[in-house]
Amino acid sequence: MKPPANMWKAVILIGGPEKGTRFRPLSFDVPKPLFPVAGLPMIQHHIEACSKIDQIKEILLIGFYPKSEEIEKFIQSARKQYNNIIIRYLPEHTALGTAGGLYHYRDQIEAGSPTAFFVFNADVCCNLALKDIVEFHQETCADGAITIVTTEAPHQESMSYGCVVENAETHEATHYVEKPETFVSSLINCGVYVFKPEVLNHLGNIFRKHQNERFIDMYDEDAAAEKISLEKEILVPYVSSGKMFVYKTTKPWSQIKSAASAIFANKLYLSNYHKTNSHRLARNAPNAGPLISGDVFIHETATVHSSAVLGPNVTIGEDVKIGPGVRVCNSIILPGAVIENHSCVLNAIIGWQSYVGEWSRVEGTAHQPNPNAPYAKMISGALFDDEGKLIPSITVLGRKVTVAPEIVVRNSIVLPNKNILKSSKNQIIL
Ligand code: GDD
């Protein structure tokens, strides 16, 4: 059978268990790419966006999660929901770096002769106009091989990202530095690219170069010739050869590295539903509660008392129970949690099957993104300041935490299975 003309694919780099360290304790219980944000696993937002682009026929998730049952379960369910697209998980035997998996699975990517393929970092939150990026790649990058999606960030913060310099007229990338030590450019790499398949040939050359250069010790995973950095070993050489072009987005964008940034991503994706999926947003029913203020997602299996007040920026997960008089704002309540009568949850993530007793407060401090950030919103994931003091942040309860009645838990991180019997502030409860 003839392959369809102009067929595209997408690859999502989902990393592996040792990648989500800043996301603890939440990444103890679920692979970080499956953490639910605005009611959907983080990577489902990328899958959903891809499923709306006619050209994209297949999505490949590449990562090194050894126990992949949860990922497989997710894929089964995603296949049912987005049945116009093939979705597969391709596991790496070890962490192969951001581009090693692309090389390892080059045959799978090239199968069916795609014109081009998207590459997404799993842990970015964005509401990109993929259609525009497809057009940009076909027109502006016609003679190039890579389109890199970028956004503007404040000078100081830009250095935590890949920094790109472009020719403003042609949009050709003229310089790329990964996380530079001094300021290079306020244009940062969003972790979303389009590659032409020729990039896979380049990866073959890199692999052979590694084989020649490295002493390959079979017990030293860092020495594996297949371990390749997308940023340093693809982007840098392609800039030098004038084959990388810069697509700039002015849509909100952020990374999802820490629990605090998940709260911000939750807000961003909920607000996006106004345009894409307004049926997912809860509405006030005439003369019946609960009172919904701003953007709120409530899973259809959750039970919310009519006197509760929810929002803005709230996600209520599967089988959650919210009692009478409860107030929830700027928070994610994970599946199976119970929030008892008259409790208050602000700027917090409540873990799976956790229990908040009546008249309790679980409260954190909202991270205000830098108001000078033009489009990129940076949420620091740091837990401690330079003097080793805990930075006030959101409160996170891990799985199966019990908070006794009339307790205040403020700016604290609580590990799974803890029983909180007295109030706490600025603590990590181990
Ligand atoms: N499959 C696979 N294998 N994925 C990986 C591996 C690996 O060995 N290592 C990292 N990843 C995935 C992560 O899960 C994440 O989705 C993405 O690759 C990038 O992860 P990091 O290596 O942690 O990089 P970063 O997030 O600090 O910086 C990257 O993203 C920024 C945008 O968020 C760089 O590309 C920056 O230039 C960029 O600005």
Side-chain angles (χ1 to χ4, degrees):
M1 211 169 63
K2 241 176 91 188
N6 199 18
M7 186 267 285
W8 286 45
K9 296 194 181 187
V11 172
I12 306 179
L13 300 173
I14 63 172
E18 70 255 40
K19 276 278 151 194
T21 47
R22 275 189 273 169
F23 211 66
R24 287 178 184 162
L26 301 164
S27 53
F28 288 147
D29 288 307
V30 69
K32 183 180 131 180
L34 299 186
F35 183 81
V37 176
L40 300 186
M42 205 183 279
I43 51 173
Q44 193 169 332
H45 292 281
H46 292 331
I47 293 177
E48 189 160 282
C50 288
S51 75
K52 293 184 180 149
I53 302 299
D54 292 341
Q55 289 92 331
I56 301 180
K57 303 293 180 206
E58 184 170 30
I59 302 176
L60 302 169
L61 312 182
I62 303 186
F64 55 98
Y65 283 94
K67 253 179 57 194
S68 58
E69 296 114 69
E70 278 157 301
I71 308 237
E72 279 304 332
K73 207 169 135 205
F74 163 73
I75 289 177
Q76 297 300 341
S77 129
R79 280 182 185 147
K80 284 191 199 128
Q81 286 179 66
Y82 309 102
N83 55 14
N84 60 333
I85 209 156
I86 298 165
I87 305 170
R88 291 192 294 142
Y89 174 48
L90 305 176
E92 289 166 24
H93 53 281
T94 180
L96 294 178
T98 38
L102 299 179
Y103 175 68
H104 188 84
Y105 287 112
R106 61 198 178 282
D107 292 348
Q108 307 278 343
I109 299 170
E110 276 181 313
S113 309
T115 311
F117 58 97
F118 271 97
V119 176
F120 292 89
N121 286 0
D123 59 0
V124 295
C125 158
C126 47
N127 150 26
L128 296 172
L130 296 189
K131 247 188 183 157
D132 284 359
I133 301 174
V134 169
E135 275 172 29
F136 178 94
H137 184 76
Q138 286 171 334
E139 287 160 21
T140 312
C141 186
D143 297 327
I146 297 179
T147 293
I148 180 168
V149 177
T150 64
T151 191
E152 286 284 341
H155 282 209
Q156 194 54 33
E157 288 166 5
S158 65
M159 292 181 281
S160 308
Y161 299 85
C163 294
V164 193
V165 181
E166 68 157 350
N167 174 329
E169 270 173 37
T170 61
H171 301 294
E172 184 188 317
T174 54
H175 194 43
Y176 181 89
V177 190
E178 180 64 15
K179 300 175 187 148
E181 281 176 15
T182 52
F183 178 74
V184 169
S185 164
S186 57
L187 211 54
I188 61 158
N189 171 6
C190 289
V192 178
Y193 322 84
V194 179
F195 288 173
K196 283 191 184 155
E198 66 163 77
V199 175
L200 299 172
N201 300 335
H202 165 77
L203 284 174
N205 298 335
I206 300 286
F207 173 70
R208 284 181 285 278
K209 190 165 149 256
H210 285 184
Q211 273 187 321
N212 292 335
E213 281 173 0
R214 293 185 189 179
F215 168 70
I216 307 299
D217 174 348
M218 61 187 290
Y219 297 108
D220 180 359
E221 287 173 350
D222 279 343
E226 262 190 312
K227 191 163 187 165
I228 301 174
S229 159
L230 187 158
E231 295 81 358
K232 294 182 181 150
E233 296 177 280
I234 301 183
L235 304 185
V236 171
Y238 270 88
V239 164
S240 311
S241 62
K243 295 194 81 177
M244 183 160 104
F245 287 80
V246 176
Y247 174 93
K248 269 197 249 179
T249 180
T250 54
K251 301 265 169 94
W253 174 92
S254 111
Q255 281 189 316
I256 315 180
K257 290 289 181 197
S258 60
S261 56
I263 292 282
F264 181 75
N266 187 54
K267 172 177 169 175
L268 206 149
Y269 277 135
L270 285 172
S271 82
N272 198 27
Y273 285 162
H274 283 283
K275 280 197 215 119
T276 60
N277 285 288
S278 60
H279 64 278
R280 289 190 186 146
L281 293 170
R283 293 204 176 96
N284 283 303
N287 309 319
L291 182 66
I292 306 293
S293 149
D295 298 340
V296 174
F297 171 89
I298 305 176
H299 193 275
E300 58 193 12
T301 56
T303 317
V304 181
H305 192 271
S306 58
S307 60
V309 180
L310 307 180
N313 312 321
V314 166
T315 290
I316 306 287
E318 219 171 323
D319 297 324
V320 164
K321 291 196 173 52
I322 304 277
V326 165
R327 176 80 181 98
V328 186
C329 166
N330 212 33
S331 296
I332 300 175
I333 315 292
L334 291 167
V338 175
I339 315 293
E340 283 288 11
N341 312 358
H342 306 290
S343 286
C344 182
V345 177
L346 304 178
N347 305 315
I349 297 179
I350 307 296
W352 301 265
Q353 288 114 36
S354 282
Y355 177 88
V356 177
E358 51 190 47
W359 296 102
S360 281
R361 279 182 87 83
V362 178
E363 187 178 352
T365 301
H367 282 252
Q368 295 306 337
N370 182 341
N372 301 320
Y375 306 119
K377 302 291 179 205
M378 280 71 183
I379 308 290
S380 161
L383 282 181
F384 302 98
D385 65 14
D386 294 342
E387 286 159 12
K389 283 203 208 117
L390 191 69
I391 299 171
S393 179
I394 68 158
T395 285
V396 181
L397 306 188
R399 181 189 282 273
K400 290 191 178 165
V401 167
T402 301
V403 176
E406 298 176 42
I407 292 289
V408 180
V409 183
R410 186 168 290 149
N411 301 128
S412 294
I413 310 284
V414 184
L415 266 70
N417 303 310
K418 295 286 148 199
N419 245 333
I420 309 295
L421 301 173
K422 57 179 201 286
S423 293
S424 70
K425 190 177 166 194
N426 294 346
Q427 279 187 40
I428 297 183
I429 302 176
L430 301 168

